[in-house]
């Protein structure tokens, strides 16, 4: 399903910014998966990644799960600058001019630019790695991969997330992309906009973040779909925003 998610993301970026090249970093994937991805991406074979994940306590644990260094291949891409999106963070239909503005506002910076991680109680400044404007290079690649291996067990004070602990330590001088320049809707926000359609969301937000149990293919996962995505609004109103975003995702996949 994640290959399908990447294909939909590629279509969204192609529609919003057709002239700009799109590259997908892959590793250890089948020819069938590559065939799905080639519909909207140029493929780049990245380096192997170790299957390690940070627990809530900050300890480094080995799991079948999300590799802490899974995004290392981004810094080996043959481009001067790269704007990265996670597969579950999909630009909305009207985002083309806003994408262009991101490049113009943050593209000349030597520092990594990203959206701040919004969570109460964080003791430090953290960014969300779901969207990053970065500059590839050997030094930056080494800094990230070294941090992914250096963080020891029982270390405290890490930013939350899978790859975000190592990324935030490696690029601690990151530049914040303000909500004025890029704004992302989530299922929680969509539920609070009970009369919203996809067009309404596109006027207010630049992207829609399907995450965890809200991904369009959630019915086929072990965890299933998060309860109340479609009916968490007041009894007198029909909640349509998330449903509209999910329908648009499936429509894009079938194109």
């Amino acid at each position: 399903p994640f290959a399908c998610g990447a294909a939909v993301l590629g279509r969204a970026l192609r529609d919003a910014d057709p002239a700009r090249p799109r590259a997908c970093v892959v590793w250890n994937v089948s020819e069938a998966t590559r065939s799905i991805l080639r519909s909207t991406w140029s493929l780049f074979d990245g380096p192997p990644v170790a299957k390690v994940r940070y627990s809530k306590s900050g300890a480094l644990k080995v799991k079948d799960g999300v590799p802490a260094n899974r995004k290392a291949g981004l810094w080996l891409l043959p481009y001067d600058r790269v704007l990265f999106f996670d597969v579950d963070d999909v630009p909305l239909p009207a985002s083309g001019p806003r994408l262009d503005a991101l490049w113009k506002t943050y593209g000349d910076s030597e520092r990594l630019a990203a959206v701040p991680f919004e969570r109460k109680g964080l003791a430090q400044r953290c960014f969300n790695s779901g969207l990053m404007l970065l500059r590839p290079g050997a030094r930056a690649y080494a800094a990230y991969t070294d941090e992914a291996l250096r963080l020891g067990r029982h270390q405290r004070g890490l930013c939350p997330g899978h790859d975000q602990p190592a990324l935030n330590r490696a690029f601690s001088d990151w530049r914040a992309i303000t909500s004025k320049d890029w704004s992302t809707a989530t299922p929680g926000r969509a539920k609070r906009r009970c009369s919203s359609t996809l067009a309404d969301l596109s006027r207010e937000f630049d992207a829609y973040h399907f995450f965890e149990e809200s991904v369009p293919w959630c019915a086929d996962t072990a965890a299933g779909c998060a309860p109340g995505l479609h009916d968490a609004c007041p009894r007198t109103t029909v909640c349509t925003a998330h449903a509209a975003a999910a329908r648009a995702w499936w429509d894009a996949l079938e194109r």
Side-chain angles (χ1 to χ4, degrees):
F2 287 99
C4 294
V8 170
L9 173 61
R11 288 189 177 98
L13 290 170
R14 181 186 62 193
D15 292 345
D17 194 2
R20 203 175 299 275
R22 296 175 305 281
C24 180
V25 179
V26 298
W27 174 70
N28 194 29
V29 297
S30 68
E31 184 56 38
T33 298
R34 289 173 182 268
S35 179
I36 293 171
L37 296 173
R38 286 193 192 102
S39 64
T40 53
W41 299 95
S42 297
L43 302 188
F44 175 83
D45 283 281
V49 292
K51 288 194 173 182
V52 294
R53 178 174 175 169
Y54 298 92
S55 72
K56 291 182 179 178
S57 67
L60 187 63
K61 294 185 177 180
V62 177
K63 278 187 175 182
D64 284 329
V66 180
N69 59 340
R70 61 176 171 167
K71 293 175 180 172
L74 296 173
W75 280 268
L76 298 179
L77 286 169
Y79 301 105
D80 180 58
R81 289 290 270 173
V82 168
L83 179 60
F84 167 79
F85 283 88
D86 266 341
V87 297
D88 59 1
D89 195 356
V90 184
L92 291 168
S95 62
R98 300 277 286 171
L99 282 169
D100 191 52
L102 273 183
W103 286 101
K104 290 178 179 177
T105 304
Y106 300 93
D108 290 335
S109 175
E110 291 293 328
R111 295 180 291 160
L112 180 146
V115 175
F117 194 98
E118 297 178 358
R119 178 179 292 179
K120 291 182 179 180
L122 286 178
Q124 60 186 302
R125 180 173 172 262
C126 299
F127 65 82
N128 188 316
S129 63
L131 182 151
M132 300 182 290
L133 186 52
L134 59 98
R135 188 178 294 279
R139 182 177 297 179
Y141 171 78
Y144 174 28
T145 53
D146 286 351
E147 286 295 349
L149 297 173
R150 183 181 299 142
L151 295 178
R153 296 183 65 83
H154 310 299
Q155 186 166 353
R156 299 294 187 265
L158 299 176
C159 290
H162 301 138
D163 44 53
Q164 286 164 182
L167 282 166
N168 273 272
R169 286 177 63 90
F171 304 102
S172 58
D173 64 342
W174 61 280
R175 182 182 177 187
I177 296 176
T178 68
S179 57
K180 175 177 67 70
D181 292 324
W182 191 262
S183 181
T184 301
T186 64
R189 290 180 178 179
K191 286 193 295 185
R192 294 195 294 270
R193 286 160 174 78
C194 298
S195 61
S196 293
T197 64
L198 187 64
D200 294 329
L201 284 175
S202 297
R203 282 190 287 270
E204 187 174 355
F205 297 100
D206 302 304
Y208 195 88
H209 184 194
F210 298 99
F211 63 92
E212 297 178 348
E213 297 95 347
S214 74
V215 293
W217 60 88
C218 57
D220 295 323
T221 65
C225 300
L229 282 178
H230 305 290
D231 58 1
C233 294
R235 286 175 291 178
T236 56
T237 316
V238 176
C239 195
T240 61
H242 179 75
R247 281 196 302 271
W249 187 96
W250 285 107
D251 289 344
L253 180 62
E254 293 171 359
R255 274 198 274 142

